[in-house]
Amino acid sequence: MDSLIGQVLTPQYSIGTSVLSYVISFFGSLVALLCAHRLVRSDGSLDKGMLACAAVSLGGIGIWSMHFIGMVAYRLPISIAYDIPLTALSLVAAIVISGIALYLASGHGLGRRQGWLFGSLLAGVGVCVMHYMGMFAMNMRATMTLDPMIVAGSAVIAVGAAGAALWLAFNLTKVIDQVVAAAVMGVAVCSMHFVGMMAANMVCTAQAPLNPFVIGGSNIALGVFGMSGAVLILIFWVMTGRTSDAPVRAPVRAARRAA
């Protein structure tokens, strides 16, 4: 492997792991849409429990888990591990930012249009920060540089995807529409991720940075997929166990738009 020192590393992708990243993004997005439909009660009040569930489903599963599994699908001719504190921080950031964006888009704090706009910008920027934070969490025998033009393109995709996701979350009520929307959202999230990965140029170095707090292994993607699936099942169980008071009625929607 010493012969690779100073050489530009060419990445490859595991097709199976890449498919897994889309599947978890689809199901995370779908559960988030179902939760968002129950986010505002018929009296206009916010269901904080559903907000938390939607934030975890969208930010923690639909976005972060997709990105992490997609990162594992990224293969180089050197071993890759992941900085645990930085990876955990990116997960927390994805959930918190998604929760704030959903809160704003629901019409609380700002009007519906203003909330959707600011929520979209916040979520888009947050997704970019989370994504590149995850990239810099890679511990490997390589230095990484980023192409600023491709980074900018990934940011545009992220903001557009966030805006579409927040609009769909509060404007679709039929299950079949939500399923189609989740499929589209999954494509958008994956597109942002893989475009963002194209921005990276890796040059092999002599050794990886010393860091005792790393995680890696060939089965890590399956582990994250399994844990994410279990969390989604729990959230779905919580969601179905709540009262049917959550869907927003037309007068409440009109009042929110007027705000």
Side-chain angles (χ1 to χ4, degrees), residues 91-109:
L91 170 59
V92 173
I95 294 173
V96 172
I97 291 171
S98 295
I100 296 173
L102 286 164
Y103 173 80
L104 292 174
S106 70
H108 288 77

Side-chain angles (χ1 to χ4, degrees), residues 9-248:
L9 302 176
T10 301
Q12 295 182 334
Y13 285 93
S14 167
I15 300 301
T17 309
S18 298
V19 171
L20 276 184
S21 71
Y22 173 78
V23 170
I24 201 63
S25 183
F26 165 75
F27 281 108
S29 299
L30 178 59
V31 174
L33 290 173
L34 294 173
C35 289
H37 183 52
R38 294 162 173 78
L39 193 62
V40 181
R41 301 186 181 95
S42 58
D43 61 358
S45 63
L46 183 70
D47 188 328
K48 294 180 181 178
M50 281 295 96
L51 176 61
C53 289
V56 172
S57 299
L58 181 60
I61 310 298
I63 296 174
W64 184 88
S65 291
M66 179 276 132
H67 280 265
F68 188 81
I69 295 173
M71 293 281 292
V72 177
Y74 182 85
R75 304 290 170 82
L76 293 171
I78 56 175
S79 62
I80 303 175
Y82 300 91
D83 181 288
I84 294 175
L86 198 54
T87 299
L89 181 60
S90 69
L91 170 59
V92 173
I95 294 173
V96 172
I97 291 171
S98 295
I100 296 173
L102 286 164
Y103 173 80
L104 292 174
S106 70
H108 288 77
L110 296 172
R112 287 295 293 271
R113 292 180 181 178
Q114 294 92 331
W116 171 79
L117 177 61
F118 283 107
S120 299
L121 292 173
L122 174 65
V125 172
V127 167
C128 284
V129 171
M130 180 275 301
H131 172 76
Y132 290 106
M133 188 184 298
M135 290 182 66
F136 281 104
M138 291 191 293
N139 185 277
M140 56 189 172
R141 293 179 50 230
T143 57
M144 178 174 61
T145 57
L146 298 174
D147 185 318
M149 293 301 294
I150 299 180
V151 171
S154 69
V156 171
I157 295 174
V159 173
L166 292 176
W167 186 90
L168 293 170
F170 294 99
N171 287 276
L172 295 182
T173 57
K174 295 182 179 179
V175 174
I176 185 62
D177 292 338
Q178 293 171 329
V179 171
V180 174
V184 173
M185 287 167 62
V187 171
V189 173
C190 289
S191 297
M192 182 274 154
H193 171 82
F194 290 110
V195 169
M197 294 303 295
M198 289 173 56
N201 293 300
M202 306 293 189
V203 178
C204 187
T205 58
Q207 62 182 8
L210 295 177
N211 186 346
F213 303 105
V214 296
I215 188 172
S218 58
N219 295 322
I220 190 171
L222 289 176
V224 171
F225 184 86
M227 287 187 292
S228 299
V231 171
L232 285 179
I233 291 172
L234 176 61
I235 290 174
F236 187 78
W237 177 77
V238 171
M239 178 187 67
T240 55
R242 300 180 81 86
T243 65
S244 60
D245 180 59
V248 183

